[in-house]
Amino acid sequence: MIAAAAGLLLPTGAHADAEMGPRSPASVVFDVVLLRPLGLLRLVIGAALFVPAAVVASPGGFDSIQEALELFVLVPAEDVLERPLGDF
């Protein structure tokens, strides 16, 4: 599981914005060791909670379900998979 998480996390460091400048090694380590695993846990829990949230939101129509999807799944996924390492 650690190897799979590292495989998901390492490529995101290559996409660091040139405008933001280099990130300190301490911030990258803090991100990899603490924030990314917590973000991944948040994503897994959010994906599990999305199903009941979608059922509750379904009377409000497709827009309500889309908002639940964004809140529970898409925002945590962007945080874990697309945010540059050390940028928090």
Side-chain angles (χ1 to χ4, degrees), residues 7-8 13 22 45 65 82:
L8 290 174
I45 291 171
I65 296 172
E82 294 180 9

Side-chain angles (χ1 to χ4, degrees), residues 9 27-41 83:
L9 299 176
S27 67
V28 172
V29 169
F30 179 72
D31 194 6
V32 169
V33 171
L34 185 66
L35 296 181
R36 295 292 168 135
L38 288 175
L40 188 60
L41 180 64
R83 182 176 48 85

Side-chain angles (χ1 to χ4, degrees), residues 8-83:
L8 290 174
L9 299 176
L10 291 177
T12 60
H15 302 296
D17 254 341
E19 295 175 8
M20 303 230 11
R23 286 154 182 71
S24 72
S27 67
V28 172
V29 169
F30 179 72
D31 194 6
V32 169
V33 171
L34 185 66
L35 296 181
R36 295 292 168 135
L38 288 175
L40 188 60
L41 180 64
R42 179 179 161 210
L43 175 61
V44 170
I45 291 171
L49 291 176
F50 167 69
V51 174
V55 170
V56 170
S58 63
F62 182 74
D63 289 336
S64 297
I65 296 172
Q66 186 68 27
E67 287 179 26
L69 176 69
E70 185 173 331
L71 177 69
F72 286 103
V73 178
L74 297 180
V75 171
E78 288 175 4
D79 185 48
V80 171
L81 302 173
E82 294 180 9
R83 182 176 48 85

